[in-house]
Amino acid sequence: MTTIRLYNTRTRTKETFTPLDPQNVRMYVCGPTVYDRAHLGNARPVVVFDVLYRLLRHEYGADHVTYVRNFTDVDDKINARAAQTGRPISEITAETTQWFLDDMGALGALEPDAMPRATQYIPQMIRMIEGLIASGHAYEAEGHVLFAVESYAEYGQLSGRTVDDMIAGARVEVAPYKRNPMDFVLWKPSTPDLPGWDSPWGRGRPGWHIECSAMSYELLGESFDIHGGGNDLMFPHHENEIAQSCCAHPEGKFARYWLHNEMLQVEGKKMSKSLGNFFTVRDLLDQGVPGEVIRFVFLSTHYRKPMDWTAEKAREAEKTLRKWYAQAVQGVGTGDPYDSVKTALSDDLNTAGAIAECHQLSHADDITTLRHTLQFLGLMGDDVPEWARLPEGTGLGELADKLHTVRLQAMQSKDFSQADSLKAALADAGVEVRMSKDGVELVPGPDFDPSKLETLK
């Protein structure tokens, strides 16, 4: 078995991953708030932790890994969208949940083993809050229930901040009923026009942080292996999860390994609607950018480094994938991913290193291993995707033979004008020409135009 090493945000070191139970490896990742389409930044953690999920399944067996990713379907943003559109909340969340699954599926992401919705776990949240009040870690005030941050001595260890630093640097809600400015809401009252559930503290709805603690406990237990998400969630969301979970279930350790991906930029700038560089995943898919290309660009940068999405990177990714697919489609039979790719991923999910190894593999003769490696990385299904298929009758094979013959003649006559003219015409048609002692290979690029080949046949 390959040794997997992961950078643990909590300890700030790269550690050897040792699951609590190799027969039941457990991972929880914070999912989306479902009120709109997922933007490009939302997709990065999905792809990052999909790669980790695939690696864990490969090493421990698919039946021995449980991956949970939640849907937040009770939230003020959802309430605002319902008020704005006049549509029922349940209709909005059902629609946007399916949008999310469809868009992430287009990026090659496997669906987690469990995808709980917050509204399905309200009773469990209420029980956890009751326990926190009983143990002195939470208190009721003016219809709210708040977690008492000072009751948990290790608060701030994940983000590495002191409570004073957090107060100074955070947008803390100032409320007269808070004992400490950093105390956070576990339960809040609902007006008649807002979603609400009956509770010991009146009709209301849960705060954001409690949902992940309740759902992870119900589905994974008081201790599990990995908790992941974007680094924008480290504080306050993950910090608060740790506090309330460890206080509610002191017999456990909650999550042992914490992984956080860095943020995404577009063309070197922070993604922003005001800058005109804001894209949803669906925007790119509808513009004709294949999901595999989006995934490739994501994998080309290590998850702990900021990622810059550019149109040029997308073009290069499509060109590379077309080349690899042309090779991999010829691979037959069963096989395993390339060992060097598995080694790269086992070193803190070094996907950029894995992509570099795929480049090396593409120059080798083992096309079956290339095929299984691309499938392992989620870059290829059982066959070449439709967008990368060559139209029937392109005649590239015949043209490759023709160029090979012309080239051999030129080597004899020392007149390369005809060969150069043919190569230039192929390049103008969007075809990459590769020559070696074994012959000529023609690979269509992203700008391939078969109509320009008609005069060359």
Side-chain angles (χ1 to χ4, degrees):
M1 179 175 286
T2 305
T3 298
I4 299 174
R5 290 177 58 78
L6 301 172
Y7 183 85
N8 190 344
T9 306
R10 194 165 190 177
T11 62
R12 288 161 181 74
T13 58
K14 193 185 293 187
E15 301 176 3
T16 298
F17 175 67
T18 306
L20 289 164
D21 179 2
Q23 299 300 308
N24 184 21
V25 182
R26 287 157 286 172
M27 177 170 70
Y28 186 96
V29 175
C30 291
T33 299
V34 282
Y35 69 99
D36 206 345
R37 287 281 187 185
H39 61 67
L40 203 55
N42 298 144
R44 193 179 191 195
V46 173
V47 173
V48 166
F49 292 103
D50 179 68
V51 172
L52 179 54
Y53 182 42
R54 290 169 180 269
L55 178 64
L56 294 173
R57 285 163 58 96
H58 185 271
E59 292 300 315
Y60 293 95
D63 294 338
H64 303 299
V65 179
T66 302
Y67 173 22
V68 178
R69 187 184 65 219
N70 71 297
F71 285 107
T72 296
D73 61 348
V74 51
D75 183 87
D76 289 342
K77 291 179 181 178
I78 301 172
N79 300 339
R81 182 56 53 91
Q84 175 189 358
T85 61
R87 298 176 65 195
I89 285 175
S90 58
E91 185 179 295
I92 292 172
T93 57
E95 179 181 61
T96 51
T97 295
Q98 193 58 52
W99 283 351
F100 182 86
L101 293 174
D102 292 343
D103 292 349
M104 297 308 109
L107 304 189
L110 301 173
E111 289 194 358
D113 300 286
M115 296 182 287
R117 291 180 294 138
T119 53
Q120 297 172 322
Y121 287 80
I122 300 295
Q124 292 87 339
M125 296 179 207
I126 290 174
R127 283 200 299 271
M128 182 174 280
I129 294 170
E130 287 178 313
L132 289 169
I133 293 175
S135 60
H137 293 290
Y139 58 95
E140 182 183 1
E142 297 185 19
H144 295 73
V145 180
L146 299 110
F147 182 88
V149 166
E150 290 180 340
S151 73
Y152 182 59
E154 296 182 17
Y155 191 80
Q157 284 194 358
L158 179 68
S159 57
R161 311 182 190 185
T162 66
V163 172
D164 289 341
D165 289 340
M166 288 183 275
I167 292 174
R171 295 178 180 176
V172 177
E173 179 189 358
V174 178
Y177 50 78
K178 284 188 177 185
R179 297 176 184 172
N180 182 307
M182 290 304 300
D183 292 349
F184 56 89
V185 173
L186 301 174
W187 189 265
K188 54 188 173 183
S190 288
T191 55
D193 60 314
L194 294 175
W197 291 262
D198 291 333
S199 79
W201 319 288
R203 183 178 178 277
R205 60 196 191 279
W208 173 34
H209 313 297
I210 193 68
E211 66 177 77
C212 289
S213 288
M215 290 187 286
S216 63
Y217 174 72
E218 293 295 327
L219 295 169
L220 300 176
E222 71 276 359
S223 298
F224 56 94
D225 297 300
I226 297 169
H227 196 313
N231 68 358
D232 58 323
L233 298 180
M234 191 185 310
F235 177 83
H237 185 51
H238 289 166
E239 199 75 76
N240 292 352
E241 274 190 74
I242 292 172
Q244 62 201 10
S245 293
C246 290
C247 291
H249 301 287
E251 72 280 8
K253 297 295 184 183
F254 194 40
R256 298 172 65 236
Y257 300 86
W258 286 83
L259 275 68
H260 293 91
N261 63 274
E262 256 288 357
M263 296 296 98
L264 175 142
Q265 296 178 321
V266 174
E267 302 290 349
K269 298 179 181 178
K270 182 178 179 180
M271 189 166 64
S272 166
K273 290 181 180 179
S274 63
L275 294 176
N277 66 348
F278 181 92
F279 300 108
T280 67
V281 173
R282 180 50 52 182
D283 288 337
L284 291 177
L285 294 172
D286 288 346
Q287 290 167 20
V289 181
E292 298 92 336
V293 168
I294 299 172
R295 186 182 182 95
F296 185 103
V297 175
F298 282 1
L299 298 186
S300 298
T301 300
H302 191 277
Y303 79 95
R304 287 196 291 113
K305 294 182 178 179
M307 199 209 87
D308 188 19
W309 171 273
T310 69
E312 178 60 27
K313 286 181 180 179
R315 284 190 292 269
E316 287 299 315
E318 183 169 340
K319 180 179 178 181
T320 298
L321 285 174
R322 284 186 184 274
K323 176 184 74 174
W324 288 354
Y325 290 155
Q327 297 172 278
V329 72
Q330 303 171 58
V332 295
T334 59
D336 287 319
Y338 191 37
D339 284 341
S340 294
V341 169
K342 289 188 290 184
T343 298
L345 294 185
S346 297
D347 182 14
D348 193 30
L349 297 185
N350 184 5
T351 54
I355 294 294
E357 293 296 337
C358 286
H359 281 289
Q360 294 296 320
L361 182 59
S362 71
H363 295 304
D365 296 327
D366 193 351
I367 54 177
T368 296
T369 300
L370 176 62
R371 181 189 186 97
H372 290 290
T373 300
L374 295 178
Q375 291 173 335
F376 174 56
L377 290 170
L379 291 170
M380 184 177 180
D382 293 332
D383 207 347
V384 175
E386 192 64 35
W387 62 267
R389 292 177 183 272
L390 286 177
E392 293 293 331
T394 57
L396 284 179
E398 296 89 335
L399 286 171
D401 292 339
K402 179 179 179 179
L403 180 56
H404 181 57
T405 300
V406 168
R407 182 183 177 222
L408 291 177
Q409 293 171 346
M411 293 174 71
Q412 293 291 327
S413 66
K414 306 302 181 184
D415 180 4
F416 290 87
S417 58
Q418 186 180 359
D420 290 342
S421 176
L422 185 52
K423 285 165 58 180
L426 287 165
D428 182 60
V431 178
E432 180 184 352
V433 178
R434 298 182 194 154
M435 294 182 173
S436 69
K437 61 181 180 181
D438 299 321
V440 173
E441 181 184 8
L442 302 182
V443 180
D447 301 321
F448 177 56
D449 183 355
S451 66
K452 292 185 177 181
L453 301 179
E454 293 301 322
T455 59
L456 302 180
K457 297 178 183 177

